[in-house]
């Protein structure tokens, strides 16, 4: 009974990608993931104010990284694809979004990762989840660069 | 009778099933009309006045960070 209660409480954590988990082939195909490359997967939505705040930092990092080795992929989880696209357009117009974005209106990709909060950043290396940053953080650019240093 | 009571209890417990709102499903919660006063400043002031008068406390009517479950 105790085990069942614990399992129920942590069920959301059990069925989400944790550090060291292999990303399924289906998700790899959807993200066009290649081996020997580090991927930063950023889940965002138009209604998530903190995600919007993080965008300029991620775009700035995207300007400085070696794109042969590292790639940033944004996943827009807006259910209304038109809303998501206009949000992306608005960000691109202000030069705060300069990386590839995949729309995930049916939440197929994010369901696999199952983050407990947004914004959610996942680092993928050699088809495995290397680390993750969940929730709004101060100095996110420094945290990301620190994580990348550890992975390179 | 006992079986009937048991059936009724199980039926009522069925209404207590919980479904946690996932982080990516919080778009509706982040909408302006989900906030206190639903965007109407006069109504917000009025309802917060009632809340303050009854509870002797203020605030807590909004969600930080766009309601996305952030820190």
């Amino acid at each position: 009974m105790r085990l069942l209660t614990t399992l129920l409480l942590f069920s959301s954590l059990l069925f989400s990608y944790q550090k060291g988990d292999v990303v399924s082939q289906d998700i790899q195909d959807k993200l066009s993931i290649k081996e020997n490359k580090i991927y930063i997967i950023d889940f965002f939505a138009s209604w998530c104010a903190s995600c919007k705040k993080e965008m300029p930092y991620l775009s700035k990092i995207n300007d400085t990284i070696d794109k042969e080795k590292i790639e940033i992929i944004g996943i827009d989880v807006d259910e209304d694809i038109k809303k998501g696209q206009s949000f992306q357009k608005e960000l691109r117009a202000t030069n705060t979004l300069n990386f590839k974005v995949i729309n995930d209106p049916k939440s197929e990709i994010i369901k696999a990762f199952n983050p407990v909060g947004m914004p959610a950043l996942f680092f993928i290396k050699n088809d495995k989840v290397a680390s993750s940053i969940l929730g709004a953080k101060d100095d996110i650019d420094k945290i990301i660069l620190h994580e990348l240093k550890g992975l390179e | 009778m006992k079986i009937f009571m048991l059936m009724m209890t199980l039926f009522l417990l069925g209404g207590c099933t919980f479904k946690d709102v996932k982080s990516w499903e919080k778009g509706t919660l982040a909408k302006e009309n989900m906030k206190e006063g639903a965007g109407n400043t006069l109504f917000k002031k009025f309802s917060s006045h009632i809340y303050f008068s009854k509870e002797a406390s203020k605030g807590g009517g909004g969600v930080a960070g766009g309601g996305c479950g952030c820190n």
Side-chain angles (χ1 to χ4, degrees):
Chain A
M1 189 65 192
R2 202 177 286 172
L3 181 72
L4 186 73
T5 317
T6 320
L7 277 172
L8 273 172
L9 280 171
F10 294 100
S11 57
S12 61
L13 288 173
L14 279 172
F15 301 115
S16 63
Y17 282 140
Q18 303 291 306
K19 193 176 171 179
D21 284 353
V22 178
V23 178
S24 71
Q25 194 57 50
D26 176 44
I27 298 295
Q28 280 187 47
D29 293 342
K30 275 179 182 149
L31 301 175
S32 314
I33 282 179
K34 290 171 195 159
E35 241 179 282
N36 302 320
K37 203 172 177 185
I38 299 167
Y39 290 90
I40 303 172
I41 312 295
D42 173 39
F43 290 100
F44 70 92
S46 63
W47 45 263
C48 173
S50 304
C51 307
K52 195 178 175 182
K53 217 173 165 185
E54 272 190 13
M55 283 298 179
Y57 295 104
L58 276 161
S59 297
K60 215 179 254 182
I61 290 170
N62 194 40
D63 280 334
T64 57
I65 52 172
D66 180 358
K67 302 222 176 29
E68 293 289 315
K69 290 180 184 170
I70 306 161
E71 190 180 340
I72 302 175
I73 304 172
I75 313 285
D76 190 330
V77 297
D78 273 292
E79 282 175 24
D80 185 347
I81 199 159
K82 278 183 188 164
K83 229 179 206 178
Q85 279 168 338
S86 71
F87 175 64
Q88 291 160 36
K89 211 175 164 185
E90 180 197 316
L91 290 176
R92 287 195 197 276
T94 51
N95 217 14
T96 47
L97 174 64
N98 62 3
F99 46 87
K100 179 178 131 183
V101 171
I102 297 169
N103 292 300
D104 187 25
K106 287 180 182 167
S107 315
E108 289 164 341
I109 302 169
I110 198 165
K111 265 181 195 163
F113 285 85
N114 198 8
V116 287
M118 276 172 65
L121 290 166
F122 286 85
F123 294 79
I124 297 171
K125 191 185 178 186
N126 297 330
D127 310 333
K128 281 180 185 174
V129 176
S131 68
S132 60
I133 303 167
L134 304 174
K137 301 260 191 272
D138 286 331
D139 299 324
I140 188 70
D141 48 341
K142 284 174 194 162
I143 299 171
I144 293 168
L145 290 173
H146 179 76
E147 288 285 338
L148 284 174
K149 238 180 203 176
L151 294 174
E152 277 179 317
Chain B
M1 188 63 189
K2 270 182 188 172
I3 294 165
F4 176 72
M5 287 297 280
L6 184 74
M7 292 285 277
M8 278 307 285
T9 314
L10 285 173
F11 175 72
L12 289 171
L13 278 173
C16 302
T17 50
F18 75 96
K19 187 191 174 293
D20 54 336
V21 181
K22 299 287 182 188
S23 58
W24 59 91
E25 294 170 337
K26 291 183 179 173
T28 310
L29 294 172
K31 279 180 186 166
E32 191 61 31
N33 55 9
M34 292 299 276
K35 289 181 188 167
E36 188 183 12
N40 186 329
T41 39
L42 192 70
F43 184 71
K44 187 186 173 184
K45 208 171 176 185
F46 183 62
S47 70
S48 62
H49 177 74
I50 294 170
Y51 183 80
F52 173 71
S53 309
K54 283 186 173 179
E55 306 289 336
S57 70
K58 239 177 166 179
V63 185
C68 49
C70 335
N71 290 349

